[in-house]
mmCIF file with all atom_site columns, all heavy atoms in Angstrom:
data_model
loop_
_atom_site.group_PDB
_atom_site.id
_atom_site.type_symbol
_atom_site.label_atom_id
_atom_site.label_alt_id
_atom_site.label_comp_id
_atom_site.label_asym_id
_atom_site.label_entity_id
_atom_site.label_seq_id
_atom_site.pdbx_PDB_ins_code
_atom_site.Cartn_x
_atom_site.Cartn_y
_atom_site.Cartn_z
_atom_site.occupancy
_atom_site.B_iso_or_equiv
_atom_site.pdbx_formal_charge
_atom_site.auth_seq_id
_atom_site.auth_comp_id
_atom_site.auth_asym_id
_atom_site.auth_atom_id
_atom_site.pdbx_PDB_model_num
ATOM 1   N N   . ASN A 1 81  ? -69.476 0.723  35.832 1.00 0.00 ? 81  ASN A N   1
ATOM 2   C CA  . ASN A 1 81  ? -68.944 1.568  36.889 1.00 0.00 ? 81  ASN A CA  1
ATOM 3   C C   . ASN A 1 81  ? -70.056 2.180  37.723 1.00 0.00 ? 81  ASN A C   1
ATOM 4   O O   . ASN A 1 81  ? -69.918 3.269  38.252 1.00 0.00 ? 81  ASN A O   1
ATOM 5   C CB  . ASN A 1 81  ? -68.031 2.651  36.327 1.00 0.00 ? 81  ASN A CB  1
ATOM 6   C CG  . ASN A 1 81  ? -68.744 3.475  35.281 1.00 0.00 ? 81  ASN A CG  1
ATOM 7   O OD1 . ASN A 1 81  ? -69.911 3.242  34.997 1.00 0.00 ? 81  ASN A OD1 1
ATOM 8   N ND2 . ASN A 1 81  ? -68.046 4.448  34.718 1.00 0.00 ? 81  ASN A ND2 1
ATOM 9   N N   . ARG A 1 84  ? -69.286 3.715  41.015 1.00 0.00 ? 84  ARG A N   1
ATOM 10  C CA  . ARG A 1 84  ? -68.650 5.024  41.004 1.00 0.00 ? 84  ARG A CA  1
ATOM 11  C C   . ARG A 1 84  ? -69.678 6.151  40.821 1.00 0.00 ? 84  ARG A C   1
ATOM 12  O O   . ARG A 1 84  ? -69.514 7.246  41.310 1.00 0.00 ? 84  ARG A O   1
ATOM 13  C CB  . ARG A 1 84  ? -67.644 5.085  39.857 1.00 0.00 ? 84  ARG A CB  1
ATOM 14  C CG  . ARG A 1 84  ? -66.285 5.577  40.252 1.00 0.00 ? 84  ARG A CG  1
ATOM 15  C CD  . ARG A 1 84  ? -65.249 5.153  39.240 1.00 0.00 ? 84  ARG A CD  1
ATOM 16  N NE  . ARG A 1 84  ? -65.741 5.148  37.866 1.00 0.00 ? 84  ARG A NE  1
ATOM 17  C CZ  . ARG A 1 84  ? -65.743 6.221  37.084 1.00 0.00 ? 84  ARG A CZ  1
ATOM 18  N NH1 . ARG A 1 84  ? -65.294 7.356  37.515 1.00 0.00 ? 84  ARG A NH1 1
ATOM 19  N NH2 . ARG A 1 84  ? -66.178 6.130  35.842 1.00 0.00 ? 84  ARG A NH2 1
ATOM 20  N N   . HIS A 1 114 ? -70.524 28.920 34.532 1.00 0.00 ? 114 HIS A N   1
ATOM 21  C CA  . HIS A 1 114 ? -69.660 28.923 35.711 1.00 0.00 ? 114 HIS A CA  1
ATOM 22  C C   . HIS A 1 114 ? -68.358 29.669 35.422 1.00 0.00 ? 114 HIS A C   1
ATOM 23  O O   . HIS A 1 114 ? -67.774 29.507 34.352 1.00 0.00 ? 114 HIS A O   1
ATOM 24  C CB  . HIS A 1 114 ? -69.355 27.485 36.131 1.00 0.00 ? 114 HIS A CB  1
ATOM 25  C CG  . HIS A 1 114 ? -68.798 27.385 37.514 1.00 0.00 ? 114 HIS A CG  1
ATOM 26  N ND1 . HIS A 1 114 ? -67.473 27.608 37.769 1.00 0.00 ? 114 HIS A ND1 1
ATOM 27  C CD2 . HIS A 1 114 ? -69.389 27.132 38.700 1.00 0.00 ? 114 HIS A CD2 1
ATOM 28  C CE1 . HIS A 1 114 ? -67.268 27.471 39.080 1.00 0.00 ? 114 HIS A CE1 1
ATOM 29  N NE2 . HIS A 1 114 ? -68.423 27.186 39.659 1.00 0.00 ? 114 HIS A NE2 1
ATOM 30  N N   . ALA A 1 116 ? -65.438 29.233 36.272 1.00 0.00 ? 116 ALA A N   1
ATOM 31  C CA  . ALA A 1 116 ? -64.247 28.415 36.024 1.00 0.00 ? 116 ALA A CA  1
ATOM 32  C C   . ALA A 1 116 ? -64.173 27.978 34.560 1.00 0.00 ? 116 ALA A C   1
ATOM 33  O O   . ALA A 1 116 ? -63.192 27.374 34.153 1.00 0.00 ? 116 ALA A O   1
ATOM 34  C CB  . ALA A 1 116 ? -64.245 27.192 36.940 1.00 0.00 ? 116 ALA A CB  1
ATOM 35  N N   . LYS A 1 158 ? -66.307 18.278 29.562 1.00 0.00 ? 158 LYS A N   1
ATOM 36  C CA  . LYS A 1 158 ? -65.348 17.451 30.294 1.00 0.00 ? 158 LYS A CA  1
ATOM 37  C C   . LYS A 1 158 ? -64.914 18.135 31.580 1.00 0.00 ? 158 LYS A C   1
ATOM 38  O O   . LYS A 1 158 ? -64.751 17.500 32.614 1.00 0.00 ? 158 LYS A O   1
ATOM 39  C CB  . LYS A 1 158 ? -64.136 17.141 29.421 1.00 0.00 ? 158 LYS A CB  1
ATOM 40  C CG  . LYS A 1 158 ? -64.433 16.059 28.404 1.00 0.00 ? 158 LYS A CG  1
ATOM 41  C CD  . LYS A 1 158 ? -63.230 15.764 27.537 1.00 0.00 ? 158 LYS A CD  1
ATOM 42  C CE  . LYS A 1 158 ? -63.561 14.628 26.569 1.00 0.00 ? 158 LYS A CE  1
ATOM 43  N NZ  . LYS A 1 158 ? -62.543 14.519 25.518 1.00 0.00 ? 158 LYS A NZ  1
ATOM 44  N N   . ALA A 1 162 ? -65.195 16.577 35.263 1.00 0.00 ? 162 ALA A N   1
ATOM 45  C CA  . ALA A 1 162 ? -63.962 16.230 35.970 1.00 0.00 ? 162 ALA A CA  1
ATOM 46  C C   . ALA A 1 162 ? -63.730 17.141 37.174 1.00 0.00 ? 162 ALA A C   1
ATOM 47  O O   . ALA A 1 162 ? -63.286 16.678 38.229 1.00 0.00 ? 162 ALA A O   1
ATOM 48  C CB  . ALA A 1 162 ? -62.776 16.306 35.013 1.00 0.00 ? 162 ALA A CB  1
ATOM 49  N N   . ALA A 1 163 ? -64.035 18.415 37.039 1.00 0.00 ? 163 ALA A N   1
ATOM 50  C CA  . ALA A 1 163 ? -63.727 19.363 38.114 1.00 0.00 ? 163 ALA A CA  1
ATOM 51  C C   . ALA A 1 163 ? -64.858 19.447 39.133 1.00 0.00 ? 163 ALA A C   1
ATOM 52  O O   . ALA A 1 163 ? -64.719 20.104 40.153 1.00 0.00 ? 163 ALA A O   1
ATOM 53  C CB  . ALA A 1 163 ? -63.430 20.745 37.536 1.00 0.00 ? 163 ALA A CB  1
ATOM 54  N N   . GLY A 1 164 ? -65.975 18.808 38.860 1.00 0.00 ? 164 GLY A N   1
ATOM 55  C CA  . GLY A 1 164 ? -67.074 18.844 39.820 1.00 0.00 ? 164 GLY A CA  1
ATOM 56  C C   . GLY A 1 164 ? -67.756 20.197 39.884 1.00 0.00 ? 164 GLY A C   1
ATOM 57  O O   . GLY A 1 164 ? -68.107 20.677 40.963 1.00 0.00 ? 164 GLY A O   1
ATOM 58  N N   . ILE A 1 165 ? -67.964 20.829 38.738 1.00 0.00 ? 165 ILE A N   1
ATOM 59  C CA  . ILE A 1 165 ? -68.720 22.090 38.715 1.00 0.00 ? 165 ILE A CA  1
ATOM 60  C C   . ILE A 1 165 ? -70.167 21.765 39.072 1.00 0.00 ? 165 ILE A C   1
ATOM 61  O O   . ILE A 1 165 ? -70.785 20.903 38.452 1.00 0.00 ? 165 ILE A O   1
ATOM 62  C CB  . ILE A 1 165 ? -68.611 22.764 37.330 1.00 0.00 ? 165 ILE A CB  1
ATOM 63  C CG1 . ILE A 1 165 ? -67.194 23.323 37.150 1.00 0.00 ? 165 ILE A CG1 1
ATOM 64  C CG2 . ILE A 1 165 ? -69.658 23.863 37.176 1.00 0.00 ? 165 ILE A CG2 1
ATOM 65  C CD1 . ILE A 1 165 ? -66.947 23.993 35.822 1.00 0.00 ? 165 ILE A CD1 1
ATOM 66  N N   . PRO A 1 166 ? -70.705 22.420 40.118 1.00 0.00 ? 166 PRO A N   1
ATOM 67  C CA  . PRO A 1 166 ? -72.016 22.001 40.618 1.00 0.00 ? 166 PRO A CA  1
ATOM 68  C C   . PRO A 1 166 ? -73.171 22.440 39.719 1.00 0.00 ? 166 PRO A C   1
ATOM 69  O O   . PRO A 1 166 ? -73.033 23.372 38.922 1.00 0.00 ? 166 PRO A O   1
ATOM 70  C CB  . PRO A 1 166 ? -72.106 22.697 41.973 1.00 0.00 ? 166 PRO A CB  1
ATOM 71  C CG  . PRO A 1 166 ? -71.217 23.886 41.848 1.00 0.00 ? 166 PRO A CG  1
ATOM 72  C CD  . PRO A 1 166 ? -70.121 23.503 40.906 1.00 0.00 ? 166 PRO A CD  1
ATOM 73  N N   . ARG A 1 168 ? -76.370 23.984 40.191 1.00 0.00 ? 168 ARG A N   1
ATOM 74  C CA  . ARG A 1 168 ? -77.228 24.657 41.157 1.00 0.00 ? 168 ARG A CA  1
ATOM 75  C C   . ARG A 1 168 ? -77.285 26.141 40.855 1.00 0.00 ? 168 ARG A C   1
ATOM 76  O O   . ARG A 1 168 ? -76.439 26.669 40.137 1.00 0.00 ? 168 ARG A O   1
ATOM 77  C CB  . ARG A 1 168 ? -76.698 24.457 42.581 1.00 0.00 ? 168 ARG A CB  1
ATOM 78  C CG  . ARG A 1 168 ? -75.362 25.156 42.794 1.00 0.00 ? 168 ARG A CG  1
ATOM 79  C CD  . ARG A 1 168 ? -74.786 24.867 44.158 1.00 0.00 ? 168 ARG A CD  1
ATOM 80  N NE  . ARG A 1 168 ? -73.508 25.543 44.293 1.00 0.00 ? 168 ARG A NE  1
ATOM 81  C CZ  . ARG A 1 168 ? -73.353 26.696 44.949 1.00 0.00 ? 168 ARG A CZ  1
ATOM 82  N NH1 . ARG A 1 168 ? -74.367 27.276 45.536 1.00 0.00 ? 168 ARG A NH1 1
ATOM 83  N NH2 . ARG A 1 168 ? -72.181 27.274 44.998 1.00 0.00 ? 168 ARG A NH2 1
ATOM 84  N N   . GLU A 1 174 ? -73.510 35.148 46.213 1.00 0.00 ? 174 GLU A N   1
ATOM 85  C CA  . GLU A 1 174 ? -72.657 34.947 45.032 1.00 0.00 ? 174 GLU A CA  1
ATOM 86  C C   . GLU A 1 174 ? -73.324 35.478 43.764 1.00 0.00 ? 174 GLU A C   1
ATOM 87  O O   . GLU A 1 174 ? -72.673 35.639 42.741 1.00 0.00 ? 174 GLU A O   1
ATOM 88  C CB  . GLU A 1 174 ? -72.418 33.459 44.780 1.00 0.00 ? 174 GLU A CB  1
ATOM 89  C CG  . GLU A 1 174 ? -71.854 32.652 45.910 1.00 0.00 ? 174 GLU A CG  1
ATOM 90  C CD  . GLU A 1 174 ? -71.954 31.172 45.577 1.00 0.00 ? 174 GLU A CD  1
ATOM 91  O OE1 . GLU A 1 174 ? -71.054 30.682 44.889 1.00 0.00 ? 174 GLU A OE1 1
ATOM 92  O OE2 . GLU A 1 174 ? -72.939 30.530 45.970 1.00 0.00 ? 174 GLU A OE2 1
ATOM 93  N N   . ARG A 1 178 ? -71.977 36.351 39.633 1.00 0.00 ? 178 ARG A N   1
ATOM 94  C CA  . ARG A 1 178 ? -72.205 35.319 38.626 1.00 0.00 ? 178 ARG A CA  1
ATOM 95  C C   . ARG A 1 178 ? -73.159 35.782 37.539 1.00 0.00 ? 178 ARG A C   1
ATOM 96  O O   . ARG A 1 178 ? -73.321 35.148 36.503 1.00 0.00 ? 178 ARG A O   1
ATOM 97  C CB  . ARG A 1 178 ? -72.785 34.066 39.304 1.00 0.00 ? 178 ARG A CB  1
ATOM 98  C CG  . ARG A 1 178 ? -71.865 33.416 40.315 1.00 0.00 ? 178 ARG A CG  1
ATOM 99  C CD  . ARG A 1 178 ? -70.811 32.554 39.675 1.00 0.00 ? 178 ARG A CD  1
ATOM 100 N NE  . ARG A 1 178 ? -71.392 31.531 38.811 1.00 0.00 ? 178 ARG A NE  1
ATOM 101 C CZ  . ARG A 1 178 ? -71.794 30.349 39.245 1.00 0.00 ? 178 ARG A CZ  1
ATOM 102 N NH1 . ARG A 1 178 ? -71.665 30.027 40.494 1.00 0.00 ? 178 ARG A NH1 1
ATOM 103 N NH2 . ARG A 1 178 ? -72.293 29.480 38.402 1.00 0.00 ? 178 ARG A NH2 1
ATOM 104 N N   . THR B 2 2   ? -65.535 15.390 45.606 1.00 0.00 ? 2   THR B N   1
ATOM 105 C CA  . THR B 2 2   ? -64.507 15.303 44.570 1.00 0.00 ? 2   THR B CA  1
ATOM 106 C C   . THR B 2 2   ? -63.165 15.655 45.205 1.00 0.00 ? 2   THR B C   1
ATOM 107 O O   . THR B 2 2   ? -63.107 16.454 46.136 1.00 0.00 ? 2   THR B O   1
ATOM 108 C CB  . THR B 2 2   ? -64.820 16.276 43.425 1.00 0.00 ? 2   THR B CB  1
ATOM 109 O OG1 . THR B 2 2   ? -66.142 16.032 42.974 1.00 0.00 ? 2   THR B OG1 1
ATOM 110 C CG2 . THR B 2 2   ? -63.867 16.099 42.247 1.00 0.00 ? 2   THR B CG2 1
ATOM 111 N N   . TYR B 2 4   ? -59.359 17.178 45.032 1.00 0.00 ? 4   TYR B N   1
ATOM 112 C CA  . TYR B 2 4   ? -58.606 18.189 44.299 1.00 0.00 ? 4   TYR B CA  1
ATOM 113 C C   . TYR B 2 4   ? -57.207 18.303 44.865 1.00 0.00 ? 4   TYR B C   1
ATOM 114 O O   . TYR B 2 4   ? -56.977 18.086 46.052 1.00 0.00 ? 4   TYR B O   1
ATOM 115 C CB  . TYR B 2 4   ? -59.272 19.566 44.439 1.00 0.00 ? 4   TYR B CB  1
ATOM 116 C CG  . TYR B 2 4   ? -60.695 19.619 43.953 1.00 0.00 ? 4   TYR B CG  1
ATOM 117 C CD1 . TYR B 2 4   ? -61.756 19.336 44.823 1.00 0.00 ? 4   TYR B CD1 1
ATOM 118 C CD2 . TYR B 2 4   ? -60.990 19.955 42.631 1.00 0.00 ? 4   TYR B CD2 1
ATOM 119 C CE1 . TYR B 2 4   ? -63.060 19.370 44.385 1.00 0.00 ? 4   TYR B CE1 1
ATOM 120 C CE2 . TYR B 2 4   ? -62.299 19.997 42.184 1.00 0.00 ? 4   TYR B CE2 1
ATOM 121 C CZ  . TYR B 2 4   ? -63.340 19.704 43.064 1.00 0.00 ? 4   TYR B CZ  1
ATOM 122 O OH  . TYR B 2 4   ? -64.625 19.745 42.630 1.00 0.00 ? 4   TYR B OH  1
ATOM 123 N N   . ASP B 2 89  ? -67.867 20.130 45.931 1.00 0.00 ? 89  ASP B N   1
ATOM 124 C CA  . ASP B 2 89  ? -67.845 20.397 44.498 1.00 0.00 ? 89  ASP B CA  1
ATOM 125 C C   . ASP B 2 89  ? -66.827 21.499 44.231 1.00 0.00 ? 89  ASP B C   1
ATOM 126 O O   . ASP B 2 89  ? -66.158 21.963 45.158 1.00 0.00 ? 89  ASP B O   1
ATOM 127 C CB  . ASP B 2 89  ? -69.246 20.804 43.977 1.00 0.00 ? 89  ASP B CB  1
ATOM 128 C CG  . ASP B 2 89  ? -69.850 21.957 44.759 1.00 0.00 ? 89  ASP B CG  1
ATOM 129 O OD1 . ASP B 2 89  ? -69.080 22.839 45.199 1.00 0.00 ? 89  ASP B OD1 1
ATOM 130 O OD2 . ASP B 2 89  ? -71.077 21.979 44.947 1.00 0.00 ? 89  ASP B OD2 1
ATOM 131 N N   . LEU B 2 90  ? -66.727 21.914 42.981 1.00 0.00 ? 90  LEU B N   1
ATOM 132 C CA  . LEU B 2 90  ? -65.705 22.903 42.632 1.00 0.00 ? 90  LEU B CA  1
ATOM 133 C C   . LEU B 2 90  ? -65.940 24.233 43.353 1.00 0.00 ? 90  LEU B C   1
ATOM 134 O O   . LEU B 2 90  ? -64.990 24.905 43.753 1.00 0.00 ? 90  LEU B O   1
ATOM 135 C CB  . LEU B 2 90  ? -65.673 23.134 41.116 1.00 0.00 ? 90  LEU B CB  1
ATOM 136 C CG  . LEU B 2 90  ? -64.586 24.106 40.649 1.00 0.00 ? 90  LEU B CG  1
ATOM 137 C CD1 . LEU B 2 90  ? -63.191 23.557 40.911 1.00 0.00 ? 90  LEU B CD1 1
ATOM 138 C CD2 . LEU B 2 90  ? -64.740 24.456 39.178 1.00 0.00 ? 90  LEU B CD2 1
ATOM 139 N N   . ASP B 2 91  ? -67.219 24.603 43.530 1.00 0.00 ? 91  ASP B N   1
ATOM 140 C CA  . ASP B 2 91  ? -67.492 25.874 44.210 1.00 0.00 ? 91  ASP B CA  1
ATOM 141 C C   . ASP B 2 91  ? -66.888 25.882 45.615 1.00 0.00 ? 91  ASP B C   1
ATOM 142 O O   . ASP B 2 91  ? -66.274 26.861 46.030 1.00 0.00 ? 91  ASP B O   1
ATOM 143 C CB  . ASP B 2 91  ? -69.006 26.130 44.289 1.00 0.00 ? 91  ASP B CB  1
ATOM 144 C CG  . ASP B 2 91  ? -69.542 26.697 42.982 1.00 0.00 ? 91  ASP B CG  1
ATOM 145 O OD1 . ASP B 2 91  ? -68.716 26.915 42.063 1.00 0.00 ? 91  ASP B OD1 1
ATOM 146 O OD2 . ASP B 2 91  ? -70.755 26.911 42.880 1.00 0.00 ? 91  ASP B OD2 1
ATOM 147 N N   . LEU B 2 94  ? -63.099 26.041 45.394 1.00 0.00 ? 94  LEU B N   1
ATOM 148 C CA  . LEU B 2 94  ? -62.588 27.372 45.051 1.00 0.00 ? 94  LEU B CA  1
ATOM 149 C C   . LEU B 2 94  ? -62.684 28.315 46.248 1.00 0.00 ? 94  LEU B C   1
ATOM 150 O O   . LEU B 2 94  ? -61.798 29.139 46.472 1.00 0.00 ? 94  LEU B O   1
ATOM 151 C CB  . LEU B 2 94  ? -63.355 27.942 43.857 1.00 0.00 ? 94  LEU B CB  1
ATOM 152 C CG  . LEU B 2 94  ? -63.153 27.184 42.525 1.00 0.00 ? 94  LEU B CG  1
ATOM 153 C CD1 . LEU B 2 94  ? -64.049 27.759 41.440 1.00 0.00 ? 94  LEU B CD1 1
ATOM 154 C CD2 . LEU B 2 94  ? -61.700 27.222 42.086 1.00 0.00 ? 94  LEU B CD2 1
ATOM 155 N N   . PRO B 2 109 ? -58.610 18.883 39.709 1.00 0.00 ? 109 PRO B N   1
ATOM 156 C CA  . PRO B 2 109 ? -59.245 17.640 40.171 1.00 0.00 ? 109 PRO B CA  1
ATOM 157 C C   . PRO B 2 109 ? -58.303 16.451 39.984 1.00 0.00 ? 109 PRO B C   1
ATOM 158 O O   . PRO B 2 109 ? -57.515 16.432 39.038 1.00 0.00 ? 109 PRO B O   1
ATOM 159 C CB  . PRO B 2 109 ? -60.476 17.506 39.265 1.00 0.00 ? 109 PRO B CB  1
ATOM 160 C CG  . PRO B 2 109 ? -60.213 18.383 38.091 1.00 0.00 ? 109 PRO B CG  1
ATOM 161 C CD  . PRO B 2 109 ? -59.265 19.454 38.521 1.00 0.00 ? 109 PRO B CD  1
ATOM 162 N N   . ASP B 2 112 ? -59.322 9.613  38.610 1.00 0.00 ? 112 ASP B N   1
ATOM 163 C CA  . ASP B 2 112 ? -59.636 8.326  39.220 1.00 0.00 ? 112 ASP B CA  1
ATOM 164 C C   . ASP B 2 112 ? -58.892 7.228  38.467 1.00 0.00 ? 112 ASP B C   1
ATOM 165 O O   . ASP B 2 112 ? -59.154 6.976  37.301 1.00 0.00 ? 112 ASP B O   1
ATOM 166 C CB  . ASP B 2 112 ? -61.152 8.086  39.147 1.00 0.00 ? 112 ASP B CB  1
ATOM 167 C CG  . ASP B 2 112 ? -61.556 6.807  39.859 1.00 0.00 ? 112 ASP B CG  1
ATOM 168 O OD1 . ASP B 2 112 ? -60.657 6.090  40.354 1.00 0.00 ? 112 ASP B OD1 1
ATOM 169 O OD2 . ASP B 2 112 ? -62.767 6.535  39.923 1.00 0.00 ? 112 ASP B OD2 1
ATOM 170 N N   . SER B 2 114 ? -58.456 4.140  40.018 1.00 0.00 ? 114 SER B N   1
ATOM 171 C CA  . SER B 2 114 ? -58.735 2.889  40.717 1.00 0.00 ? 114 SER B CA  1
ATOM 172 C C   . SER B 2 114 ? -59.215 1.830  39.717 1.00 0.00 ? 114 SER B C   1
ATOM 173 O O   . SER B 2 114 ? -59.587 2.144  38.584 1.00 0.00 ? 114 SER B O   1
ATOM 174 C CB  . SER B 2 114 ? -59.812 3.122  41.777 1.00 0.00 ? 114 SER B CB  1
ATOM 175 O OG  . SER B 2 114 ? -60.990 3.577  41.166 1.00 0.00 ? 114 SER B OG  1
ATOM 176 N N   . GLY B 2 116 ? -61.354 -0.452 37.574 1.00 0.00 ? 116 GLY B N   1
ATOM 177 C CA  . GLY B 2 116 ? -62.715 -0.264 37.073 1.00 0.00 ? 116 GLY B CA  1
ATOM 178 C C   . GLY B 2 116 ? -62.967 1.124  36.547 1.00 0.00 ? 116 GLY B C   1
ATOM 179 O O   . GLY B 2 116 ? -63.975 1.362  35.890 1.00 0.00 ? 116 GLY B O   1
ATOM 180 N N   . ALA B 2 117 ? -62.059 2.050  36.853 1.00 0.00 ? 117 ALA B N   1
ATOM 181 C CA  . ALA B 2 117 ? -62.254 3.403  36.335 1.00 0.00 ? 117 ALA B CA  1
ATOM 182 C C   . ALA B 2 117 ? -61.875 3.434  34.862 1.00 0.00 ? 117 ALA B C   1
ATOM 183 O O   . ALA B 2 117 ? -60.934 2.789  34.439 1.00 0.00 ? 117 ALA B O   1
ATOM 184 C CB  . ALA B 2 117 ? -61.394 4.392  37.114 1.00 0.00 ? 117 ALA B CB  1
ATOM 185 N N   . GLY B 2 118 ? -62.629 4.189  34.105 1.00 0.00 ? 118 GLY B N   1
ATOM 186 C CA  . GLY B 2 118 ? -62.349 4.291  32.679 1.00 0.00 ? 118 GLY B CA  1
ATOM 187 C C   . GLY B 2 118 ? -61.237 5.279  32.422 1.00 0.00 ? 118 GLY B C   1
ATOM 188 O O   . GLY B 2 118 ? -60.686 5.860  33.358 1.00 0.00 ? 118 GLY B O   1
ATOM 189 N N   . ALA B 2 121 ? -61.997 11.488 31.549 1.00 0.00 ? 121 ALA B N   1
ATOM 190 C CA  . ALA B 2 121 ? -63.039 12.155 30.760 1.00 0.00 ? 121 ALA B CA  1
ATOM 191 C C   . ALA B 2 121 ? -62.410 13.268 29.944 1.00 0.00 ? 121 ALA B C   1
ATOM 192 O O   . ALA B 2 121 ? -61.453 13.873 30.365 1.00 0.00 ? 121 ALA B O   1
ATOM 193 C CB  . ALA B 2 121 ? -64.101 12.726 31.674 1.00 0.00 ? 121 ALA B CB  1
#
Side-chain angles (χ1 to χ4, degrees):
Chain A
N81 56 1
R84 230 160 36 86
H114 196 278
K158 283 180 178 167
I165 288 179
R168 67 185 179 100
E174 305 169 84
R178 297 280 304 274
Chain B
T2 307
Y4 302 90
D89 53 34
L90 183 65
D91 279 358
L94 294 175
D112 184 357
S114 60

